[in-house]
Structures are given as C-alpha cells and as structure tokens.
Amino acid sequence: MGEILKSSQKEYRVLKLLLDGHSQYQISQMLNLSVKTISGYKVKAIKRHGARNFNELYMLKLHNYF
C-alpha cells in the first residue's frame, strides 16, 4: 500500500469495503491487516453509528443516515 493512513481513515476504508460486500478475510488481504484488526474496526463502526449489529448498520447505509 505504501501510504500511512490515520486510524479513522483506515476504519472508514474498512467500513466502506464491508458495506460493499467484501468479507473480513478479503479486506485483510487487500489492506495487509489481520482479520482481528478488521473485526475491531467493524465493531468500532457499529458502535460509532449507534447500530446494534452490522445488519442494522447496513440498513442505515441504505437509508443514507451516514
């Protein structure tokens, strides 16, 4: 990747890839991060947006709440 991203930028990128339908494993391979790191970013995003789970977060995306 070659570039250094802030944590929030990485979290946003991971969230976008998850919402686009990529698996945590696929994202870990793309971004050269561990699956555990991807999972942590996913949990942070769910909490940050006030959702109870990833499905609810996805529904918020469909309704353009963020």
Side-chain angles (χ1 to χ4, degrees):
M1 200 158 135
E3 61 200 53
I4 298 174
L5 299 174
K6 290 183 186 175
S7 183
S8 61
Q9 290 174 315
K10 288 181 185 177
E11 289 174 25
Y12 177 79
R13 189 168 184 189
V14 167
L15 177 59
K16 182 171 178 354
L17 290 168
L18 284 166
L19 292 172
D20 287 344
H22 295 280
S23 73
Q24 291 181 45
Y25 177 77
Q26 290 171 325
I27 296 168
S28 71
Q29 295 299 303
M30 283 187 252
L31 302 180
N32 198 27
L33 297 170
S34 74
V35 174
K36 256 185 150 173
T37 300
I38 302 303
S39 179
Y41 287 160
K42 179 180 172 182
V43 169
K44 284 181 185 178
I46 290 168
K47 289 180 181 180
R48 180 176 292 135
H49 292 285
R52 291 175 291 193
N53 55 46
F54 187 73
N55 291 336
E56 192 172 294
L57 184 63
Y58 187 79
M59 294 306 291
L60 290 171
K61 177 207 175 213
L62 290 178
H63 290 100
N64 296 318
Y65 288 130
F66 65 92

